[in-house]
Amino acid sequence: MSKKVLVAYATKMGATATIAAVVGAELRTAGHQVDVREIGAAPAVSEYDAVVLGSAIYRGRWRPEAVRFLRDHERQLRNRQVWLFHSGPIGPSKNQNQPLPPDVARLAHLIHPNPPKTFAGDLQAEAVAGIGAHREDLEHLIGDSRDWPEIHAWSDGIATALRTAVVQP
Ligand SMILES: Cc1cc2nc3c(=O)[nH]c(=O)nc-3n(C[C@H](O)[C@H](O)[C@H](O)COP(=O)(O)O)c2cc1C
């Protein structure tokens, strides 16, 4: 059965937005009705059967607007199927799973989402210049480490879980 799904994301430099778009496209291909929205522009959670929420990680933290979204919608999210992902690790540590930051973990404890997923991220040279960092300090991290087959596979798992899930009244 087709479900209504919100894919909401918080990004600074765009890498997480593209991951969210790919997740959304995969769910749509599987027959679900999907809206992919930047988290600040996300419609009411009450309109959806399920929510996929992703944030970029910076210095071990989620983007503040993503934490705010979890906090503000905690009660509604509790009653829905929720998947969390974050995009971060780049360079030599691109395959390292990242724990949820403590504030996000506390909220997740209340919401009971599916197990969170870490996706490797992307750091472009222009972005390094944009944040005022010295290129030579971050040179070893520059590049796109996003693993598209892994992102597709994770999305497929969600599509399957949604097909068999019972919608909460
Ligand atoms: C200043 C800075 C700090 C970062 N801190 C982390 C971090 O603590 N953990 C992590 O996994 N990735 C970290 N990253 C990598 C970013 O999360 C990665 O580039 C991500 O894909 C960016 O997503 P966005 O383009 O959606 O903003 C950092 C990147 C920068 C530039």
Side-chain angles (χ1 to χ4, degrees):
M1 186 189 155
S2 165
K3 300 276 166 51
K4 252 200 117 184
V5 188
L6 172 64
V7 180
Y9 62 88
T11 180
K12 189 170 175 187
M13 298 187 289
T16 311
T18 315
I19 294 173
V22 168
V23 172
E26 192 81 26
L27 295 178
R28 218 171 273 132
T29 302
H32 299 293
Q33 300 168 57
V34 185
D35 291 327
V36 180
R37 295 281 185 275
E38 199 279 321
I39 211 155
V45 169
S46 56
E47 291 179 25
Y48 297 93
D49 302 314
V51 176
V52 181
L53 174 59
S55 175
I57 313 174
Y58 286 92
R59 298 191 169 90
R61 312 296 299 265
W62 273 28
R63 300 281 300 154
E65 62 270 29
V67 181
R68 204 176 310 126
F69 184 91
L70 282 178
R71 192 177 298 124
D72 290 350
H73 299 90
E74 176 236 310
R75 282 176 182 279
Q76 287 175 314
L77 291 169
R78 268 191 220 189
N79 298 322
R80 285 170 170 74
Q81 285 265 76
V82 175
W83 282 265
L84 304 178
F85 72 89
H86 46 205
S87 107
I90 43 183
S93 55
K94 65 181 183 184
N95 293 322
Q96 268 178 20
N97 264 339
Q98 300 296 307
L100 290 177
D103 53 350
V104 178
R106 272 193 297 278
L107 288 160
H109 185 70
L110 301 171
I111 293 166
H112 301 296
N114 290 279
K117 179 73 181 167
T118 300
F119 289 123
D122 175 30
L123 184 66
Q124 295 301 316
E126 313 84 70
V128 171
I131 58 170
H134 294 296
R135 188 186 166 119
E136 51 277 17
D137 292 343
L138 297 179
E139 185 80 55
H140 63 297
L141 300 176
I142 291 174
D144 190 352
S145 296
R146 289 171 295 178
D147 183 336
W148 301 112
E150 188 184 17
I151 293 164
H152 281 286
W154 187 71
S155 310
D156 270 352
I158 295 177
T160 304
L162 286 173
R163 218 172 291 127
T164 51
V166 176
V167 176
Q168 302 280 333

